[in-house]
Each structure stands twice: as structure tokens, then as C-alpha cells.
Amino acid sequence: MNALFSQLVRSDIGLALSEVTESSAVFTVRTKSGGPKLIFGILFGIPGVLLLYSALTTGGLMTLIAAIIFCPILFGLAALFGASISEKRFDKTSGTFTSSLLVFGYSTSETLPLPTTGRLVIKSENRGSAKGAPGSTLRYSVLLENCPGAGFALSKDYGTLRAFAERLSQFLALPIEDTVTEMNR
């Protein structure tokens, strides 16, 4: 698997833009398309279209070279941010954890054995230039030990992340270790 796609498949899923489905045998978290994801796609797609249009209409050599170099990158990022769907699936029946990424028709996934030991770890990290400074935010995450790619994140809402972690903990029958300080809850 390509190193870039491997990292994308193993990256945390943001719970704010995801839907969680659960049955007695399968627990799935899947990102939703549209909304904020589409805005990120447009932010990269519009400059790509403008650069391509400029290269085709002006005919300048430097513009053409810039278009050849940057248009594929901008269109790739637009597709990745605007149209990608990530999914993390815990399947008790087959005893597997599958992490997958779908971009248009291209799909890549990684399947690992579902851990029977370990724990769910809840952490927090300060995102910003200085702790407590204006503009900095707390990002909460929960990850499953011994299972690369089984990570989920949420900004500014500890209660929702904790409730999600409890649901996943009950499904997997694994304990939760909460490392978030009382002050950051």
C-alpha cells in the first residue's frame, strides 16, 4: 500500500462529521460526505480550476509549467478532502478490525485482528501556540491499544467523546483509561 494512503487509512476519524452504527456483531464509524468536507474540497478545487483556465487562455510558458505541476496536486487534494469517505469497522463475527478509505472509485483498506486484550485510552492535547491562549483548542482522542488505525478524535467536547468511548468499550469488552486531567474535562 502506498505510504500516503497507508497513513490516511490509519489516521483518526473526526467524530463530529461521522455516523456511528452498532449491532451485536459490528461497530462501525463512517465519515459523512458533504457539508464542511465539501468546503475543504472547494478551497483546493477552485484555485486548481483558475490555474488551469489561466494556463489555457494566456498561453504563457510559466503559467503552463505551473499548471502542469500544481493542478494535479490541487485537484488531488480537492478530491481527498471533499469526496473521501473513511470507515473504521470492528467485527466480532470475523474477529477483525478494518480501516478503509474510499475516494471516488478508488478504495484501500487495512484489516487487522481484533484485539482481545488492551484498553481504550482517552487523551487530550492542546492545539495552538500556547496553552490557554486565545485561539488554542483542546482536542480529545480515544485510541485502541495494540490496534494501529483505531483512533477517533473530537475537539472541544469531552462529554461526547467519553460517551463514545464507553459505547466502544462495552462493545469490545475492554476497559477505558482516561488520561485527561480533571481541569480539561
Side-chain angles (χ1 to χ4, degrees):
M1 184 183 332
N2 182 330
L4 172 65
F5 280 101
S6 177
Q7 292 225 339
L8 290 171
V9 165
R10 289 185 173 190
S11 65
D12 293 355
I13 285 185
L15 292 175
L17 301 174
S18 300
E19 60 185 356
V20 178
T21 56
E22 180 181 359
S23 69
S24 60
V26 179
F27 189 98
T28 305
V29 181
R30 182 181 176 100
T31 57
K32 297 182 227 174
S33 56
K37 288 183 64 153
L38 191 58
I39 291 170
F40 279 111
I42 289 171
L43 287 175
F44 287 100
I46 288 176
V49 169
L50 292 175
L51 180 58
L52 183 62
Y53 177 76
S54 176
L56 294 174
T57 58
T58 63
L61 181 62
M62 293 307 288
T63 309
L64 184 61
I65 291 171
I68 290 171
I69 293 171
F70 292 110
C71 282
I73 295 169
L74 290 169
F75 291 140
L77 288 172
L80 187 62
F81 288 130
S84 66
I85 303 290
S86 295
E87 182 179 89
K88 311 276 185 192
R89 180 183 184 98
F90 300 90
D91 190 344
K92 284 184 185 178
T93 307
S94 64
T96 58
F97 165 71
T98 304
S99 183
S100 58
L101 176 71
L102 173 71
V103 181
F104 294 123
Y106 179 73
S107 175
T108 184
S109 63
E110 180 179 39
T111 302
L112 300 168
L114 196 60
T116 55
T117 61
R119 59 194 167 179
L120 289 165
V121 180
I122 300 176
K123 298 191 284 187
S124 68
E125 65 178 311
N126 194 346
R127 291 270 174 114
S129 58
K131 292 183 179 181
S136 66
T137 60
L138 279 174
R139 176 183 179 260
Y140 301 101
S141 62
V142 60
L143 60 95
L144 178 57
E145 282 186 333
N146 307 322
C147 196
F152 307 92
L154 191 63
S155 294
K156 299 182 182 179
D157 193 352
Y158 171 79
T160 303
L161 184 81
R162 176 70 191 200
F164 168 80
E166 287 172 359
R167 266 178 83 181
L168 185 58
S169 170
Q170 288 176 355
F171 179 80
L172 297 172
L174 294 174
I176 296 175
E177 179 184 336
D178 194 341
T179 64
V180 178
T181 63
E182 199 63 40
M183 173 178 74
N184 290 333
R185 291 184 184 185

